[in-house]
Amino acid sequence: RISGPGCPGARSMNQVATSASPAAGWRVWLPGLVVLIGLLGLFRETAVAMVGIWSHSDTYAHAFLVPPIVVWMVWRRRAELANLTVQPAYAALPVVAALCLLWLLGELAAMNSVTQFALVALMAVTVPTIFGWAVTVALVFPLLFVFFAVPLGEALTPMMMDATADFTVAALQLSGVPVYREGLQFIIPSGSWSVVSACSGVRYLIASFMVGTLFAYLNYQSTRRRAIFMVVSVVVPVLANWLRAYMIVMLGHLSGNTLAVGVDHLIYGWVFFGVVIGLMFMVGARWSEPDAPAPIPAATADRANSTNQQASGHAWGAAIGVLAMAMATHAFLWKIEQTPPAAPSALRLPATLGADWQALAEPLSPWVPAYKGARSTDVRAYRSVSSTAGIWAAYYQGQDYEHKMVTSANFVVSPNDEGWGMVSGPSATVTLSGGPVVFKSAVVRASSGVGDSRVQRLLVWHVYWVGGLFTSSDARAKLQLALNRLTGEGDASAVLMFYTPLGNDPAQAEAVLRQLVAGSLVTLGSQLGAVPGPATAVR
């Protein structure tokens, strides 16, 4: 039976919330606020670095909207929260400890993405730790939405650049436009084009997924509809970016390169993206199903009121546990970083490698990898009986966020290098006495007029050396670096590039590099391990 406004027993949901809020009010949530402020203070460098990425990268500028949106989503559920029972979940404390360890490993390896993800996850996990699962279920969407603040997604850029180039070239060919493609660069009769990082569509994808997720949460009650629209918000910007790239090239081609170039290129891209996203929301709104939450009975509010008064002490205990783990993490990091630095030593490649390779006086090629922050670099050309090859090496020690080997800012060939281009190839494996070693492979190509015509196309194999371990995996190199620092073994690392002229016989070039690597990698590893230097960075 529904009581009318004049019935003595009738109480609205707002009245229930008001009656519960004085007793279960701000004091209940104070431990969470203290922990939030404490975590931001302890991990302030990580938080500042994250905001800095928002400020300097158009890809993540949308993240400035995430904190106020999360606060608003929590505030709009304040009536429901006021009537929930607070019961700290101490079982979540091991997750807090694991996230503190993850942050520590990311800090030791100077990985912004890991430290920032760990910090945001740590703040989210404090909700069940301090307030319990009932509150967590009520806030599950805001707690997941906050991860949009983490600047993740750049790793998708190379893959999406390749996909954009594939689609654009295929669409041009279907349109009857002849295309010659090499890597991310292609030539059509009206001019040459290249797919750069801004053309990958990553920024469109991330922004669309964020607003699409928020739209689905606010407009649908069905989990199925929400999931479908979130998938659509991922697929649509990818397809739209492919179509945008094709249309830009066609507009330039048909207009004699007077339209869709320069600034027009960027303006056209964002306008097209805005129109596509607007249409996506218009279509999605046709199936919206807003539904007001059901009122909470007064008995529930009264029961929560009494329970929350008793749970206040437990919430403070959980809050102290979270802050204690965070402070212990920083104390351990401080201890690791107290190793005194030694004077950096210069890396020098040997004059001979085995019995077959002798160093030449001049480098083999003017090409130089775009690796920054190295403490020392060296390059040498070598000759065997019938072959020539080169080695370029960069040695890293005392690594920090400004001087690190594995980073998205280091390239075999810089995307902005107009003199050289690169096409990635399949990995290569060389079996040595210690087991197989996998190398990343690429073909480096010079623009016309750069260097000797005989070395304008190079086959390049590259691998990381991290404290005695050879690996071509960025993730494995970072993890090994963090573990080495954690166990006191230091952060000595190097990147090695082996290269030889490609010529007209790729199989012969591969055989040359295989011979060079087999005869030199063990020697180079021993030499790198003998280079003295500081074990850790002192901040």
Side-chain angles (χ1 to χ4, degrees), residues 512-531:
V512 171
L513 290 187
R514 194 172 296 277
Q515 179 189 6
L516 175 61
V517 167
S520 66
L521 197 62
V522 174
T523 300
L524 292 173
S526 299
Q527 181 173 346
L528 289 168
V531 176

Side-chain angles (χ1 to χ4, degrees), residues 351-359 382-385 515-516 518-520 523:
T352 61
L353 289 172
D356 299 326
W357 296 93
Q358 301 294 323
Y382 294 90
R383 180 184 296 278
S384 68
V385 176
Q515 179 189 6
L516 175 61
S520 66
T523 300

